[in-house]
């Protein structure tokens, strides 16, 4: 389960040390240059706009074999070198009841994601998980349990996190369990990289729609949607019509793959044109409950990439580029990155992409209410000093720039209702493990000490329209607490203004 929160304030203080960062290479157009002179304040967003942070149960909780929990697919996958409609685990329900109750006690609105990548390994072994329609039934059973257990207090539900990314990584490239793929996308022992992503997505969309149908008929009282991974794409060549078409096609093959069926009742025509009979079809009955099965659009947006046409053009590229929608996707053009590279491969800092992706959704889906449920800056953790992680000025500038871009989209009429930072604390980042950190809080893995970074203090100040000042720091730990004085740091663009909360 994932929680996303509306924060009125962050009841914590920040510790940081003043350090120097190396300058950005001159050939990179940095996000600071892109939005030079701009700043962002809480008052630029609607009064009822949600701000929060995102977490994922598997990625922050640990305890993979405690409290009656069975093995999940990721438990098995991460412990590899190089049980149907079972009883509800009461300790698991109690655990999340406690979390939800305490969030509400603090004035925090929980946004609950039902499925975020991991599920019982038994379902994989029994019938192949998302490659089988049987997975729809197990998902609806699980969703029903969540609605019954938490629905009296949870008013915002997300059924599945990033089905488009999961389908690609698990069934096309073989990088996520169950590690299915085929040439030329990967060298797996089993899989079909053309057909299996389409089948798994079809089952996830039907599972989502059936869960929404159940919620609307028997529970109600809240809003329910789904969240897609949403990179923005720009043409590799600005004046090339084929590359412009390629960028549009990639958006359809990635983003509209999720939202066209749930909003309009069928897969994107761009996909129907090229995939033909390989693309599954919805029956008349299925179409009735699939179409219109979202109350809001959820996206996780981090980066922008270039797209080059591969239908009418030669795409014999070397390196780690990949094909989406018969387009070559890359973060560089003529050796120059599209934006400053972040600490995770394939992520670049391109704030303008936020406004563009929101505008795309606004036009294609008639300005349906939208939440940005994840956005964050990847920072390399491995082989760097703790103070380097704590003084995360690049993360602060990242969120200021992306929020400014989002504010422009809202001023242009986009119905965006929330922005959530990934993530509250440094976590297990799937294949990257603990080598990168997105968190506002640094976690010492030996002591479990959770130390607020500069970004945590900035987020608090942004939400309350306060400035960064020299103040006493309290570091909270499950085992102990300590305190020391912070050094004063001036960040450009931080202003003080009356809060409008």
């Amino acid at each position: 389960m994932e929680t996303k929160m509306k924060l009125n304030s962050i009841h914590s203080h920040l510790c940081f040390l003043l350090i120097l960062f190396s300058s950005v290479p001159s050939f990179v157009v940095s996000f600071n240059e892109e939005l030079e002179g701009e700043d962002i304040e809480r008052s630029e967003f609607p009064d009822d706009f949600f701000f929060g942070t995102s977490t994922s149960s598997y990625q922050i909780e640990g305890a993979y074999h405690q409290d009656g929990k069975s093995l999940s697919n990721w438990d098995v996958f991460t412990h590899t070198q190089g049980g149907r409609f079972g009883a509800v685990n009461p300790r698991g329900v109690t655990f999340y009841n406690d979390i939800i109750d305490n969030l509400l006690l603090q004035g925090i609105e929980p946004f609950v994601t039902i499925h975020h990548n991991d599920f019982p390994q038994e379902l994989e072994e029994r019938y192949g998980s998302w490659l089988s329609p049987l997975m729809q039934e197990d998902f609806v059973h699980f969703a029903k349990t969540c609605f019954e257990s938490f629905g009296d207090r949870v008013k915002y539900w997300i059924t599945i996190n990033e089905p488009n990314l999961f389908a690609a990584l698990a069934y096309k490239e073989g990088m996520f369990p169950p590690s299915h793929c085929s040439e030329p996308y990967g060298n797996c022992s089993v899989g079909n990289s053309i057909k299996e992503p389409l089948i798994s997505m079809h089952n996830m969309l039907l599972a989502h729609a059936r869960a929404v149908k159940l919620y609307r008929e028997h529970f109600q009282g809240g809003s329910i949607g789904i969240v897609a991974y949403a990179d923005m794409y720009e043409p590799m060549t600005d004046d090339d019509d084929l590359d412009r078409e390629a960028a549009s096609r990639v958006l359809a093959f990635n983003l509209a793959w999720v939202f066209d069926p749930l909003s309009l009742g069928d897969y994107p025509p761009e996909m129907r044109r090229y995939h033909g009979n390989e693309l599954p079809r919805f029956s008349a009955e299925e179409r009735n409950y699939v179409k219109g099965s979202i109350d809001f659009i959820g996206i996780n947006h981090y980066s922008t990439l270039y797209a080059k046409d591969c239908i009418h053009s030669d795409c014999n590229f070397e390196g780690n580029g990949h094909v989406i929608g018969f387009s070559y996707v890359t973060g560089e053009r003529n050796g120059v990155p599209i934006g400053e590279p972040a600490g995770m491969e394939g992520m670049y800092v391109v704030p303008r992409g936020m406004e563009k992706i929101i505008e795309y959704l606004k036009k294609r889906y008639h300005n349906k209410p939208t939440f940005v449920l994840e956005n964050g800056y990847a920072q390399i953790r491995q082989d760097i000093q703790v103070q380097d992680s704590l003084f995360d000025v690049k993360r602060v500038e990242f969120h200021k720039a992306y929020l400014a871009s989002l504010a422009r989209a809202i001023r242009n009429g986009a119905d965006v209702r929330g922005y959530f930072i990934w993530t509250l604390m440094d976590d297990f980042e799937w294949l990257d493990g603990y080598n990168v950190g997105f968190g506002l809080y640094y976690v010492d893995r030996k002591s479990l000490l959770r130390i607020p970074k500069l970004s945590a203090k900035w987020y608090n100040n942004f939400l309350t329209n306060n400035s960064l000042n020299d103040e006493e720091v309290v570091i909270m730990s499950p085992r102990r607490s300590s305190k020391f004085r912070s050094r004063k740091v001036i960040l450009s663009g931080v202003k003080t203004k009356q809060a409008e909360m």
Side-chain angles (χ1 to χ4, degrees), residues 299-452:
I299 62 168
N300 296 342
H301 173 72
Y302 292 87
S303 186
T304 298
L305 300 170
Y306 290 122
K308 173 178 170 51
D309 173 66
C310 288
I311 296 176
H312 305 94
S313 309
D314 182 11
C315 282
N316 293 325
F317 286 89
E318 296 180 359
N320 59 3
H322 53 285
V323 175
I324 302 177
F326 306 101
S327 303
Y328 173 77
V329 174
T330 178
E332 295 186 359
R333 180 169 62 185
N334 299 323
V336 179
I338 192 171
E340 182 180 356
M344 182 175 284
E345 184 179 351
M347 286 189 176
Y348 301 84
V349 181
V350 189
R352 65 180 181 272
M354 176 67 81
E355 182 179 7
K356 289 183 176 182
I357 200 76
I358 294 297
E359 185 66 21
Y360 173 84
L361 293 167
K362 182 180 75 171
K363 290 181 178 179
R364 189 160 186 133
Y365 303 111
H366 311 293
N367 205 15
K368 198 169 192 66
T370 300
F371 290 89
V372 179
L373 292 169
E374 287 182 18
N375 179 233
Y377 179 77
Q379 181 183 29
I380 297 176
R381 280 184 49 128
Q382 193 174 25
D383 301 324
I384 66 172
Q385 299 296 317
V386 174
Q387 59 263 33
D388 291 29
S389 291
L390 298 180
F391 190 69
D392 59 342
V393 65
K394 287 190 176 182
R395 178 170 290 110
V396 172
E397 294 297 334
F398 175 95
H399 286 292
K400 287 167 59 181
Y402 273 76
L403 280 167
S405 184
L406 181 62
R408 287 198 301 272
I410 294 173
R411 287 196 296 271
N412 289 332
D415 188 5
V416 184
R417 302 187 179 186
Y419 176 90
F420 301 85
I421 290 177
W422 183 264
T423 179
L424 177 63
M425 66 187 78
D426 288 344
D427 65 338
F428 175 77
E429 280 297 332
W430 307 119
L431 295 180
D432 288 281
Y434 296 104
N435 293 327
V436 297
F438 283 86
L440 300 179
Y441 283 74
Y442 176 90
V443 179
D444 183 279
R445 294 296 159 188
K446 294 181 180 180
S447 66
L448 298 184
L449 189 70
R450 299 163 188 169
I451 307 174

Side-chain angles (χ1 to χ4, degrees), residues 14-88:
L14 174 73
C15 70
F16 54 84
L17 298 176
L18 182 61
I19 60 172
L20 298 177
F21 283 83
S22 60
S23 61
V24 178
S26 59
F27 60 82
V28 176
V29 179
S30 75
F31 57 90
N32 291 313
E33 294 171 356
E34 183 181 328
L35 293 179
E36 186 175 0
E38 291 202 42
D39 197 15
I40 188 69
E41 296 179 352
R42 169 65 182 88
S43 57
E44 296 183 45
F45 295 85
D47 290 343
D48 58 353
F49 192 86
F50 283 94
F51 283 99
T53 61
S54 306
T55 65
S56 159
S57 59
Y58 189 87
Q59 292 175 265
I60 69 165
E61 290 172 7
Y64 80 99
H65 56 47
Q66 296 180 14
D67 284 338
K69 175 185 170 296
S70 65
L71 291 179
S72 75
N73 57 325
W74 271 91
D75 293 327
V76 174
F77 183 71
T78 55
H79 286 79
T80 301
Q81 296 297 326
R84 182 108 200 246
F85 302 151
V88 175

